[in-house]
């Protein structure tokens, strides 16, 4: 039994081009991000620093998101529909990780705010233990956003549904109208929290950076990069609105619209993470160069 929505398929040439673009972008970003993770794990200067722990949590989420997005897209073109249980597993991982990122960036904003505005208290507040607790809370909050949907379909859907195949989208699995309303309200709550955190902390950082002449330029640039990354990640919350809005305006271009918005929301924000610390951060760049472009002559002291 197949349960699919009105989903159209691309021509063979279009499908090949789209998948080559997605796989190429994703593999390139995953390679760079994996080098970041490897660098982090090899050096205590990073894995004992709360700021870098938060950053590498963001990078790991990026890797998981890219793997899930690429896997879902490639499978959707190769076999078109997936068994519902397998689709649910992929969707749960994708949804939780996509919600983790904006929350992690919000916490990173708070950490920057404490470091710049309360430097004397920073070492007491931002400890490895506290950061570990915060990361756990992030995972719990993100999970609580989607697990009620899972429990709902386990209760309301028939056994035949879980033995069927669907085109693997959130709306084809969590298809009850009540779940859509709940998702909208949940996204609004997350969106407001992240926006308030973004506006308050980063404007305070900007004002403080302007007052301190020494690192003002670097601080402003870092703030802008983090803010841009956070804004891109927050597109997760308005993905459905963007998709529905553009589809209504251009109903014949639904395939192109879905692909473009998906790449813009799920892939392109992952390009920013390596820039913030991997390239701009001098300490991280010094170690990263050894692994990203391996050279036998490289000799970096720990």
């Amino acid at each position: 039994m197949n349960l699919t929505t009105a989903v159209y398929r691309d021509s063979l040439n279009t499908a090949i081009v789209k998948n080559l673009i997605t796989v190429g972008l994703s593999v390139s970003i995953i390679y760079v991000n994996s080098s970041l993770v490897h660098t982090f794990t090899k050096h205590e200067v990073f894995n004992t620093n709360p700021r870098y722990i938060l950053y590498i949590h963001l990078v790991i989420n990026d890797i998981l998101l890219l793997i899930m997005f690429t896997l879902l897209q490639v499978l959707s073109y190769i076999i078109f529909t997936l068994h519902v249980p397998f689709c649910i597993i992929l969707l749960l991982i994708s949804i939780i990780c996509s919600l983790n990122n904006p929350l992690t960036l919000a916490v990173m904003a708070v950490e920057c705010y404490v470091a710049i505005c309360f430097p004397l208290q920073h070492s007491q507040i931002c400890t490895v233990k506290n950061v570990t607790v915060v990361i756990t809370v992030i995972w719990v909050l993100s999970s609580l956003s989607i697990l009620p949907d899972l429990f709902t379909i386990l209760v309301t859907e028939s056994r035949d549904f879980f033995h069927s195949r669907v085109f693997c989208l959130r709306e084809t699995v969590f298809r009850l109208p009540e779940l859509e309303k709940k998702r909208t309200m949940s996204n609004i709550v997350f969106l407001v929290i992240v926006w308030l955190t973004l506006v308050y902390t980063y404007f305070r950082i900007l004002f403080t950076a302007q007052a301190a002449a020494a690192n003002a330029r670097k601080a402003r640039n870092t703030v802008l990069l983090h803010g841009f990354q956070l804004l891109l990640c927050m597109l997760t919350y308005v993905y459905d609105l963007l998709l529905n809005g553009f589809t209504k305006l251009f109903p014949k271009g639904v395939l192109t619209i879905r692909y473009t918005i998906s790449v813009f929301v799920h892939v392109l924000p992952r390009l920013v993470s390596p820039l913030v610390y991997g390239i701009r951060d001098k300490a991280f760049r010094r170690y990263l160069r050894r692994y990203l472009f391996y050279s036998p002559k490289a000799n970096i002291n720990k």
Side-chain angles (χ1 to χ4, degrees), residues 190-246:
F190 272 76
L191 190 63
V192 170
I193 292 173
V194 174
W195 260 112
L196 290 176
T197 304
L198 170 69
V199 172
Y200 178 77
T201 58
Y202 279 120
F203 271 100
R204 288 295 301 271
I205 290 172
L206 281 174
F207 295 147
T208 304
Q210 289 174 352
N215 295 316
R217 183 176 180 180
K218 182 178 179 181
R220 285 195 297 268
N221 291 339
T222 301
V223 167
L224 291 174
L225 278 174
H226 274 301
F228 177 66
Q229 187 179 15
L230 187 53
L231 288 171
L232 286 178
C233 286
M234 286 167 62
L235 290 174
T236 301
Y237 300 135
V238 294
Y239 173 82
D240 292 328
L241 292 175
L242 290 173
L243 183 60
N244 293 334
F246 281 104

Side-chain angles (χ1 to χ4, degrees), residues 42-54:
K42 289 295 183 180
H43 303 285
E44 284 190 10
V45 66
F46 301 125
N47 57 45
T48 58
N49 186 317
R51 179 173 296 178
Y52 289 108
I53 292 173
L54 285 170

Side-chain angles (χ1 to χ4, degrees), residues 13-29 66 69-70 73-74 259-260 263-264 267-268:
N13 289 338
T14 302
I16 291 174
V17 170
K18 286 183 177 180
N19 280 283
L20 285 176
I21 292 173
T22 301
V23 173
L25 281 173
S26 297
V27 169
S28 299
I29 299 171
L66 286 171
F69 175 75
T70 305
Q73 179 176 301
V74 172
Y259 174 79
T260 303
V263 170
F264 188 73
V267 178
L268 293 184

Side-chain angles (χ1 to χ4, degrees), residues 26-204:
S26 297
V27 169
S28 299
I29 299 171
I30 288 172
Y31 171 70
V32 175
N33 283 352
S34 297
S35 299
L36 293 171
V37 174
H38 183 71
T39 302
F40 171 83
T41 57
K42 289 295 183 180
H43 303 285
E44 284 190 10
V45 66
F46 301 125
N47 57 45
T48 58
N49 186 317
R51 179 173 296 178
Y52 289 108
I53 292 173
L54 285 170
Y55 170 66
I56 219 65
H57 175 249
L58 185 71
V59 170
I60 291 172
N61 268 285
D62 284 346
I63 292 173
L64 289 173
L65 275 171
L66 286 171
I67 292 173
M68 291 299 104
F69 175 75
T70 305
L71 184 60
L72 279 169
Q73 179 176 301
V74 172
L75 288 177
S76 72
Y77 281 101
I78 296 175
I79 57 179
F80 194 56
T81 59
L82 303 177
H83 289 289
V84 168
F86 181 53
C87 177
I88 289 175
I89 293 172
L90 296 181
L91 287 176
L92 286 178
I93 297 173
S94 300
I95 293 168
I96 291 173
C97 289
S98 67
L99 292 173
N100 280 348
N101 271 8
L103 292 177
T104 301
L105 284 166
V107 173
M108 292 176 73
V110 174
E111 190 276 332
C112 288
Y113 165 70
V114 174
I116 293 176
C117 299
F118 303 98
L120 298 179
Q121 292 80 27
H122 180 261
S123 59
Q124 287 78 35
I125 297 173
C126 300
T127 63
V128 172
K129 181 179 179 180
N130 289 344
V131 167
T132 304
V133 172
V134 169
I135 290 175
T136 303
V137 172
I138 288 173
W139 278 88
V140 170
L141 288 175
S142 298
S143 300
L144 288 176
S145 177
I146 186 60
L147 287 181
D149 296 25
L150 175 61
F151 297 145
T152 300
I153 66 169
L154 289 175
V155 172
T156 58
E157 296 288 359
S158 65
R159 182 176 297 182
D160 289 340
F161 174 73
F162 294 99
H163 288 88
S164 65
R165 299 172 66 94
V166 296
F167 188 78
C168 194
L169 298 172
R170 185 169 180 171
E171 55 266 30
T172 61
V173 176
F174 305 102
R175 53 187 183 168
L176 293 176
E178 292 80 8
L179 294 181
E180 184 176 353
K181 294 178 182 178
K182 175 256 175 189
R183 180 168 69 246
T184 301
M185 292 303 299
S186 176
N187 286 346
I188 290 174
V189 171
F190 272 76
L191 190 63
V192 170
I193 292 173
V194 174
W195 260 112
L196 290 176
T197 304
L198 170 69
V199 172
Y200 178 77
T201 58
Y202 279 120
F203 271 100
R204 288 295 301 271

